[in-house]
Amino acid sequence: MKTSRKLLTGIATLAISLHAHAYPGESIVLDPATGNYTITYRGDSNSTDLSQTVFVPSTKVVPSIRSGFHLGEKSAIVYRYTVSNGTTAKQAIVSVVLDQIIDPIVGELPFPLDQNETKENIDAYRAATKAALSTPANWYGSIIRVTNEDGSKLNRVAWRPKPPIRMGGIPAGHTLTGFGFSSVDLPGVGPSQMDGLGEVLGFPDEGPIESSAIKAELDRIRDNDFVTRPAAVPTIAVPVPFNAAVLLERIQTQMHTWIGMKLLDPTFSSQLDRYFQSAISAYRLNQPKVGKKQIETMRELIEKEHQDLGHDEEHDSDKSQEKNDDRQSALIGRLAARVLDFDLKYVLKRMDDDEDRGHKK
Amino acid sequence: MVTPTLNATRFVQSVSLTLALYFSIIVILSMTMIKPAHASGNVFPIQAPNNVGFLPAYILQFLSVSGTLAEMQAAYNAWLALPTTVCRNQYGPVNCGDISPFSSVVTGPFYTLCPAGYVSGGHDCHLIYPISTCPPHSTGAPATNPTSCTCDDPYVPDPTHSNCILDQYTLSLRIVPGQVEPGKQATVIATVINTVTQKPAAGVAVSIKVDVDAGTGGHAHHDAARPKGSLSGGGSTGPDGTVSFTFMAPEVSGTHTFTAQCDSPTCTNNPVTAKIKVKVDGLELITASPYYALQDSAGKVIGAVKNKHSDNHYLTNAAIKKLKDFAERYNGTVLPGAKLYLNDASLVWGGLFDVGSTPWKSPHTAHDRGRSIDIRAENSGGQYEGAVPFAYFDDTIKAAADAHARAALHCQGSIVTAVCLGIPYNRHFHVDF
Ligand SMILES: [Zn+2]
Ligand SMILES: [Zn+2]
């Protein structure tokens, strides 16, 4: 029984990448008992001999992440994260990664490349990264901006325990706070990635043949060797000079991505869209009072789904996440609701500030 | 038509014949002078410089004519105007004007009358006939003094219809695309043109072979076993004068030379060669950086093997950037101050990197596209300078993962299957970007 289930898993995994060359006898079999993959592959293109190795994934963690964000100095938004590992986790959490942070965070310097690889530049870069990131003790943070071969870009902030990694991390049942940074971009909701520490993957040869289906499938598994949870990440650029209509459009675009993440009900989204449209039109027509009214109505609708949204932002209470989980709305997730409410409130605040400045003149 | 009025009626017929001859000469000569719409197998007869023959004097009668003089004069002038007209009499060359049938116009109304086929020379009659021959490899009609010549099979007229020549073909080669990645296909198009007609030649059998140039593609070593790729298709040219071959490039990069020839009929420029680069485009040399080491402390390039592969540090631009990001974190945080020691990446043109003991064969399949590199890792046996210590294997793999690179241990030759951690031999990190 167990064998046939394993076999089926292997077949199912391989079927995904049939466009590559499938050699006889190759398989990736996930053992449901251990959660490990046994990889059987041809290690030498000149021979039909099969090799085998075991891939122990880094996904045996049960992470949860709580995002805190509030308006700090100089219009920058302070982002704070607290990460917990569930009691059933088999591995300690050894990374907190936030992707899609496209714009530089406050204090970030560009990675020294080519002619800029001087000791001064590298030292300055490292010092700037250290200063720009809030990092818990015995962890280190890094900012990674690379372009993949296919042109896709990787814009991430990542934290890991200081080496040796095997001695650190967030064990099962533990919580670690103190991750964070500042950004002038408003929060959206994006996936945060957390991984555990699997075993070092090794092959008794040069590994699977490059063009093989098994390599493609193994790559896919390895590229996704983490667990994702939604988190608030700076994704919405604030227009300079400030433009409420343009910013509302960006917030609305970000909001639409939540439907696919199952954080927002499509019907509720459509309902909000109407207010977005009215508010955008109003600001375009220079009717800030009308715009403000629409935004306030939206905030009331959101507040109806989740109470005390502002409380979460201002006080990074460790308990609020658990408290929030008890009050899940079917229409909008609490994190999404907090983000949207914060972003809308930000628009109002900027408009009020502008108005104040106007009066002073 | 000229109709002279004769005072002796018995000569009427002869005069008409003479005039008919004038015109027939004119017609034949103009046929050969103006470029005609020739039948494809015809060539022009070769005209001798002296194309007017000579007949001894032959005066038959003096006659008087009237009324038709202008017409006769016109016909005669036309004959005189022929550029090839050269006149002789029994004493040698004469001025054609001297044999004018009207020479006696000055002295009286008498004209020399000659028999059919002869031209009056005032006091002589001259036979005018073209002295012509056919060019080699052609047959004339009529056999003597031919007025047309037809090329003998298999000869054909040259473009000016002056000579009969054998058909001539030239071969050219075109490769699409002009450069190909290892293991991919290109099309070699052979085109045969009939140089005589300047038109595509169909039905020409073309053969082709391929060889690889020594010392190319980053392989300093060379032997007969080096893969050359394969050619398929071919045969004879089609109506458009082309025949295509499919070239399957080998996994080993390098410059390949095609040598083609027309087998039947042959081409004047046999054989023809063309080259193609089997190459992964866009690979860049990993240049020195504080983040990693390309040479050991003795100044030896890591992984380079003299007279075999000395250019072993090529990657794509994107891979180099990711490598730097990964190495910076190793150097800055994983093991502060330490550098990753970079072993084999890809060869200058990518393709199969035959690092093993058997040339042109390698399990090192992953090093062919500039997206992989090997990095020294601690072994339980002999140690390499700069190898990543065993205690930091996890950290190194995670640092790579953060840069969206995949690092794993490769233990070529290891007899232990358990992830190289048993009794590893030749253990190194293999990183895919
Ligand atoms: Zn070689
Ligand atoms: Zn390798």
Side-chain angles (χ1 to χ4, degrees), chain A residues 206, chain B residues 364 367 373-374 410 428-430:
Chain A
E206 291 289 337
Chain B
H364 230 165
H367 288 258
I373 193 166
D374 288 344
H410 280 183
H428 59 269
F429 277 108
H430 173 93

Side-chain angles (χ1 to χ4, degrees), chain A residues 182-307:
Chain A
S182 292
S183 169
V184 292
D185 287 357
L186 292 183
V189 180
S192 65
Q193 301 168 4
M194 276 121 336
D195 67 14
L197 190 59
E199 295 296 331
V200 170
L201 176 63
F203 299 91
D205 40 37
E206 291 289 337
I209 293 164
E210 187 66 13
S211 57
S212 65
I214 209 92
K215 173 75 159 62
E217 183 54 18
L218 180 60
D219 284 353
R220 195 191 62 80
I221 293 170
R222 294 185 67 196
D223 286 346
N224 294 284
D225 194 24
F226 46 76
V227 177
T228 63
R229 293 284 183 268
V233 287
T235 46
I236 303 168
V238 178
V240 180
F242 185 75
N243 181 319
V246 170
L247 181 54
L248 282 169
E249 278 175 343
R250 291 179 185 173
I251 295 168
Q252 190 185 16
T253 303
Q254 164 63 209
M255 180 189 82
H256 288 155
T257 66
W258 303 343
I259 299 170
M261 297 164 79
K262 303 258 182 283
L263 300 172
L264 177 64
D265 176 77
T267 318
F268 191 53
S269 174
S270 304
Q271 197 182 347
L272 294 171
D273 278 343
R274 285 194 288 278
Y275 294 103
F276 265 111
Q277 284 322 118
S278 305
I280 291 163
S281 303
Y283 285 116
R284 287 247 157 83
L285 297 168
N286 204 17
Q287 299 168 334
K289 287 205 171 73
V290 181
K292 186 175 182 179
K293 185 87 186 61
Q294 301 298 325
I295 290 177
E296 275 168 352
T297 312
M298 269 196 273
R299 292 191 66 205
E300 280 162 26
L301 283 172
I302 300 162
E303 186 85 7
K304 243 185 241 170
E305 300 303 315
H306 298 278
Q307 283 81 44

Side-chain angles (χ1 to χ4, degrees), chain B residues 205-279:
Chain B
V206 178
S207 63
I208 192 167
K209 56 187 197 267
V210 64
D211 205 349
V212 58
D213 298 4
T216 57
H219 302 271
H221 59 118
H222 195 77
D223 59 47
R226 178 164 176 174
K228 298 162 175 60
S230 62
L231 279 161
S232 56
S236 295
T237 55
D240 64 348
T242 71
V243 56
S244 294
F245 302 85
T246 301
F247 172 60
M248 172 59 89
E251 294 296 338
V252 180
S253 290
T255 301
H256 289 64
T257 302
F258 300 104
T259 305
Q261 63 172 39
C262 309
D263 292 330
S264 172
T266 59
C267 285
T268 50
N269 61 340
N270 271 349
V272 172
T273 61
K275 288 181 188 291
I276 188 172
K277 284 178 180 173
V278 175
K279 174 183 182 185

